[in-house]
Amino acid sequence: MRAKPVVPRESATRDVDEASRTTSTRVPTRRHFGFIDALEQAYAHIGRYPATGSPRYAQELNLPGLRCWPLKRYPHLVFYLERSDYIDVWKVLHGQRDIPTWMREPDGVCHERIAPADREARPSQARSACRYRA
């Protein structure tokens, strides 16, 4: 089976930037790069095996198709949807946060709709987490 490209949304990119800054200011640089490596491994895994992610929060939030995959050795979860030609990464959140609260706006509506037409991403827009290695 061919791997699908992983396309993080802006919100996921902001989450990674925030987690990356937090990791790099609190711990040695080696741990910071370990976080990025773990993120790249998670992206590679969900690109190859998207159905292996947990649907737990999809049920809890009533968002069909939403899955999450944990980072190895880090307490973060990658939230994503499998599209026909790519993996749509919504958020990368610390697992100890109140996930349902972070995934919803104050009025109880999800931050970003799931409808396939809400963002026309193309596989050529796929980005790697390695851009954080600067």
Side-chain angles (χ1 to χ4, degrees):
M1 179 161 96
R2 198 184 94 200
K4 292 183 179 183
V6 175
V7 182
R9 291 182 178 216
E10 287 182 34
S11 59
T13 302
R14 283 192 306 270
D15 294 339
V16 171
D17 287 342
E18 178 185 326
S20 182
R21 274 193 310 274
T22 301
T23 302
S24 65
T25 58
R26 285 195 211 163
V27 293
T29 304
R30 186 174 59 183
R31 180 138 170 91
H32 164 74
F33 289 122
F35 172 79
I36 298 304
D37 287 341
L39 181 65
E40 288 179 340
Q41 289 171 10
Y43 282 1
H45 178 85
I46 64 176
R48 283 190 304 269
Y49 310 105
T52 58
S54 171
R56 173 187 171 199
Y57 292 103
Q59 296 166 357
E60 206 171 307
L61 297 168
N62 194 27
L63 296 172
L66 182 70
R67 293 187 175 271
C68 68
W69 185 257
L71 269 61
K72 289 185 180 179
R73 298 183 319 270
Y74 294 87
H76 293 79
L77 301 170
V78 177
F79 291 87
Y80 64 95
L81 292 165
E82 180 179 9
R83 304 294 190 185
S84 61
D85 56 346
Y86 68 99
I87 303 300
D88 185 5
V89 176
W90 275 28
K91 300 289 281 174
V92 178
L93 298 175
H94 194 286
Q96 292 182 345
R97 288 186 172 173
D98 181 359
I99 302 295
T101 299
W102 278 90
M103 293 293 284
R104 293 179 182 268
E105 292 178 348
D107 61 359
V109 178
C110 190
H111 283 288
E112 299 181 54
R113 299 175 327 172
I114 291 185
D118 65 348
R119 189 183 90 177
E120 292 296 322
R122 303 278 185 260
S124 63
Q125 292 174 322
R127 293 171 293 209
S128 171
C130 67
R131 75 177 191 87
Y132 299 101
R133 292 186 182 273

